[in-house]
Amino acid sequence: MAALVRNDSRIILHLVTPPTLTYCLALTNHIQDYDCFYASVFEAEQPELKSLPLAVQQKQIVVTCNYEARRRGLRKLQLIRDAKRICPDVVIVLGEDLTKFRDASKKLYLLVRSLIWGDRVEKLGFDELFLDVTEMIDYNTGVLNQHDLANSYFHLDRQDPTVGFSYDATRFQGSTFPAMEAAAVAQKDPSSLEMRLLVASHLQGHIRSTLEHQIGFTATGGISTSKLLAKLVGNVHKPNGQTTLLPPYTAAEHNTSNVFQFLDDHEIRTIPGIGSRIAQKLKSHITGQESVDEKITVKDVRQFPGMGPPLLDKILGGPGSVKGIGMRMWGVLHGVDNSEVLEGRDVPTQISIEDSYGRLDTLESVRRELVVLSRSLIRRVRTDLLDMSDDTVPQGRWRAHPRTLRLSTRPRPRPDLGAGHAYSSNRISRSAPLPPFIFNLDENIDALAERLVRESVFSMFRKLHPEKAGWNLSLLNVAVTNMVESAGDQKQHSGRDIGKMFRQQETVLKDWTVQEPSDELPSQVIESQSDDGWDDDEPLGSMDCPICGGSIPQFAQLAHQLYHSERSIIRQP
């Protein structure tokens, strides 16, 4: 059996701001969630809302609410009518236009990234960040004055010693797990995990303070050595708090592991990486019953007789399961997560807009909705991909050009199939080359959207649904993918940046990755983030190359692009 090896050399921070934004700081940081993010965006615009019960509405559902509303009995995913009945004085604001949330999230992300060395800031959705601050912590523990730890100075810039902040290196900032006395002094060995986590807790506090004072957002954070542990420990003191998971992380002769002590009471469904289907399979095996509502903890699973990677493979394996899932889950149950914090990207891997519908069953209504979605898509493309920093180019310079247009739908089952027919949440998709006219900045967005639907999107829809009637859609999604980043400004750049194109492999492989569908939220108006792991079941197929017109299989798209790029470089004088 392969040994479980935990990488405790990293420091990760996890941050979450306005009740939904999270950053995580550990010697690999996970930046906390911004507390109740949607609600916090409105509170930042109108501070008087902070003292009132506030709910954000999408469709007829409360998608989030602030903590004042939660104290009065409101919760996410309630119907609006129920929220008004429970709390008659609730203030309800519409949140279906996600522009302001996206802009606020981007502003927060850029501010946090400016504080971290090496751009090791990974963004998840609108409201969660992981920060790998290992390099910063190692540097600052190395310059500690062991004779005066109470008057320490954290260096945010190695070149400029005046950039930083003072702190007390004899105490952790914020809370700890297990809880310890505020005056407790850490080990003085600067290389010890305890001291490194202590220094990281002060960096986390500085980041949270900067967010609140400069932008007006509070954040919750966790500090540990992995994304998994930093995210979980950040949930201990919410909102607007931070928690450090203290060592020891492994059991020794005279002590127990704080990781086990922390994880053991967690219900398995609350552990990142364990979705509802995996949790149900584990519950069924532990209890011997098919359908179980009772709480099953990490300790229940880990200490079950005979439990280990082979048994987990047997329980969770099968068609569509991830290879080695038994060993992977065994690691999760022991708090082992060596996944890297990815470097931040200036260019998204995809841009997608979608909406859900109670009933969508006529061609004219579909065409109308496609225009609305295409209009939002084009606006997003301009916002996310145009670089306006060069004053010599008034309209801006394109950072990247998406090459592929994708349309996805989710049909409801036909009524004649009977009530017993299983509902499928799978999407069906079709891709085509993105028409180049979408990059025309002189043309009005409304006119471009009408043209895009007329010349491309609607014909893609008719190929997905050739029947004139008999179908009813619950969702439409329009997306641009297959980003080709523009060449750099340096003189050595010629044509497209081949290095950047190689990094597209991660995007291409996403379509081949088996993922467990999320069941956290009902579908609503969603503007997908750049790296959100869009996980529909896109059928295999081919598309025409926009350069040479050849029909290229999906799996060969990247290689074919590299072929054209290399030829263009060879032709350079």
Side-chain angles (χ1 to χ4, degrees):
M1 181 186 301
L4 294 176
V5 180
R6 178 184 292 108
N7 181 0
D8 288 341
S9 64
R10 304 180 299 164
I11 296 295
I12 304 290
L13 304 182
H14 178 221
L15 289 175
V16 180
T17 66
T20 56
L21 259 183
T22 301
Y23 297 83
C24 194
L25 173 63
L27 301 174
T28 305
N29 306 349
H30 179 202
I31 289 190
Q32 302 117 281
D33 301 316
Y34 310 120
D35 299 322
C36 300
F37 180 59
Y38 283 13
S40 296
V41 172
F42 287 104
E43 290 176 344
E45 291 181 344
Q46 306 174 62
E48 63 272 15
L49 293 175
K50 293 183 179 181
S51 60
L52 302 175
L54 176 67
V56 180
Q57 174 182 352
Q58 288 183 358
K59 305 299 185 184
Q60 293 301 314
I61 293 174
V62 174
V63 292
T64 192
C65 53
N66 64 7
Y67 280 92
E68 178 60 30
R70 296 182 187 189
R71 279 191 286 269
R72 302 196 190 192
L74 269 60
R75 55 180 174 78
K76 291 193 296 185
L77 307 186
Q78 278 180 326
L79 293 175
I80 292 296
R81 65 169 182 267
D82 293 337
K84 291 180 177 179
R85 175 178 52 81
I86 295 170
C87 183
D89 57 342
V90 62
V91 177
I92 297 176
V93 291
L94 294 178
E96 294 197 3
D97 182 357
L98 302 186
T99 301
K100 64 173 60 184
F101 308 130
R102 186 182 68 251
D103 292 345
S105 176
K106 185 175 182 179
K107 186 176 183 181
L108 288 160
Y109 166 74
L110 292 175
L111 174 57
V112 172
R113 201 175 76 168
S114 70
L115 300 172
I116 303 303
W117 298 352
D119 290 339
R120 298 298 294 274
V121 180
E122 182 177 348
K123 182 180 178 184
L124 300 180
F126 282 153
D127 66 345
E128 189 169 0
L129 297 174
F130 286 101
L131 315 178
D132 187 335
V133 295
T134 307
E135 186 180 1
M136 299 180 75
I137 300 306
D138 288 347
Y139 178 85
N140 279 279
T141 54
V143 297
L144 281 173
N145 182 354
Q146 297 296 310
H147 303 292
D148 191 13
L149 291 175
N151 295 300
S152 297
Y153 188 82
F154 194 103
H155 296 268
L156 292 170
D157 189 329
R158 278 175 291 199
Q159 308 304 320
D160 187 348
T162 65
V163 179
F165 58 90
S166 300
Y167 70 103
D168 181 354
T170 68
R171 307 163 183 257
F172 281 87
Q173 180 163 346
S175 304
T176 62
F177 182 94
M180 66 188 305
E181 296 295 328
V185 179
Q187 300 176 21
K188 292 189 176 182
D189 178 4
S191 64
S192 69
L193 178 57
E194 184 179 13
M195 179 58 82
R196 296 171 74 229
L197 289 168
L198 182 148
V199 175
S201 74
H202 288 277
L203 175 57
Q204 180 80 300
H206 174 75
I207 294 171
R208 294 175 52 240
S209 176
T210 301
L211 288 173
E212 185 169 8
H213 292 140
Q214 291 194 17
I215 308 182
F217 283 80
T218 60
T220 302
I223 301 99
S224 187
T225 60
S226 72
K227 293 161 72 173
L228 170 67
L229 295 176
K231 179 178 176 65
L232 284 174
V233 80
N235 293 327
V236 174
H237 292 94
K238 296 179 69 173
N240 196 21
Q242 67 178 59
T243 309
T244 304
L245 181 58
L246 297 177
Y249 281 13
T250 56
E253 183 178 355
H254 300 294
N255 57 49
T256 59
S257 166
N258 281 342
V259 172
F260 285 2
Q261 183 182 345
F262 174 65
L263 287 178
D264 276 352
D265 290 334
H266 280 76
E267 205 277 331
I268 56 174
R269 183 63 181 89
T270 65
I271 304 299
I274 299 182
S276 58
R277 289 187 295 180
I278 289 178
Q280 189 57 48
K281 288 181 179 181
L282 292 172
K283 287 182 179 182
S284 296
H285 185 84
I286 299 299
T287 63
Q289 303 175 32
E290 285 298 323
S291 181
V292 185
D293 292 330
E294 65 181 278
K295 177 181 177 182
I296 302 295
T297 66
V298 170
K299 184 178 181 179
D300 293 332
V301 178
R302 195 179 69 246
Q303 296 187 356
F304 187 78
M307 187 58 68
L311 181 55
L312 286 169
D313 269 326
K314 183 177 179 181
I315 297 170
L316 305 176
S321 65
V322 178
K323 184 179 180 181
I325 190 170
M327 193 65 192
R328 175 182 170 188
M329 284 298 107
W330 190 239
V332 169
L333 294 170
H334 285 76
V336 175
D337 170 26
N338 295 323
S339 60
E340 297 292 327
V341 174
L342 303 178
E343 290 187 22
R345 294 175 54 93
D346 292 323
V347 174
T349 58
Q350 69 170 13
I351 299 173
S352 96
I353 309 289
E354 70 180 35
D355 200 356
S356 59
Y357 308 93
R359 186 168 189 84
L360 193 62
D361 58 359
T362 68
L363 289 176
E364 178 53 31
S365 61
V366 167
R367 192 202 67 80
R368 202 163 46 240
E369 293 301 323
L370 288 175
V371 171
V372 173
L373 295 176
S374 297
R375 188 182 303 128
S376 297
L377 179 68
I378 295 170
R379 189 177 295 114
R380 277 283 312 277
V381 166
R382 291 186 177 184
T383 300
D384 292 355
L385 300 184
L386 270 179
D387 182 1
M388 306 300 295
S389 60
D390 190 348
D391 295 336
T392 63
V393 187
Q395 288 187 311
R397 180 182 63 84
W398 289 103
R399 294 191 182 97
H401 290 80
R403 296 304 190 198
T404 303
L405 176 66
R406 183 182 64 209
L407 171 68
S408 303
T409 70
R410 187 170 63 204
R412 289 187 172 90
R414 300 199 317 269
D416 59 351
L417 292 179
H421 182 75
Y423 173 73
S424 173
S425 61
N426 291 341
R427 309 178 187 198
I428 57 175
S429 306
R430 190 169 188 92
S431 298
L434 180 66
F437 63 74
I438 197 176
F439 303 110
N440 184 2
L441 298 175
D442 295 324
E443 193 167 350
N444 178 272
I445 289 180
D446 290 342
L448 281 175
E450 290 280 358
R451 183 180 176 187
L452 184 65
V453 171
R454 182 176 64 252
E455 298 185 15
S456 295
V457 183
F458 196 69
S459 62
M460 294 166 65
F461 176 83
R462 296 299 291 129
K463 291 176 181 178
L464 281 175
H465 300 280
E467 308 88 356
K468 292 185 178 180
W471 40 262
N472 178 20
L473 306 179
S474 63
L475 177 141
L476 286 175
N477 176 290
V478 181
V480 291
T481 65
N482 194 13
M483 297 284 180
V484 177
E485 296 187 38
S486 301
D489 296 328
Q490 295 89 344
K491 290 183 179 180
Q492 65 266 31
H493 280 282
S494 177
R496 294 191 183 96
D497 187 331
I498 296 297
K500 290 180 178 178
M501 293 190 67
F502 270 114
R503 292 196 291 271
Q504 287 181 306
Q505 182 174 5
E506 176 187 352
T507 306
V508 174
L509 291 179
K510 280 187 177 181
D511 292 335
W512 297 82
T513 302
V514 177
Q515 300 188 21
E516 181 168 347
S518 171
D519 56 354
E520 295 297 318
L521 292 171
S523 197
Q524 57 221 0
V525 178
I526 297 173
E527 298 193 17
S528 301
Q529 290 300 99
S530 59
D531 295 302
D532 59 353
W534 196 81
D535 60 356
D536 67 274
D537 297 322
E538 184 171 349
L540 303 180
S542 61
M543 61 174 284
D544 294 338
C545 172
I547 300 175
C548 67
S551 180
I552 309 300
Q554 291 283 359
F555 67 85
Q557 299 291 317
L558 180 61
H560 193 72
Q561 288 177 15
L562 293 175
Y563 163 76
H564 281 299
S565 298
E566 290 166 354
R567 285 176 61 86
S568 67
I569 291 177
I570 291 172
R571 294 194 193 102
Q572 297 296 323

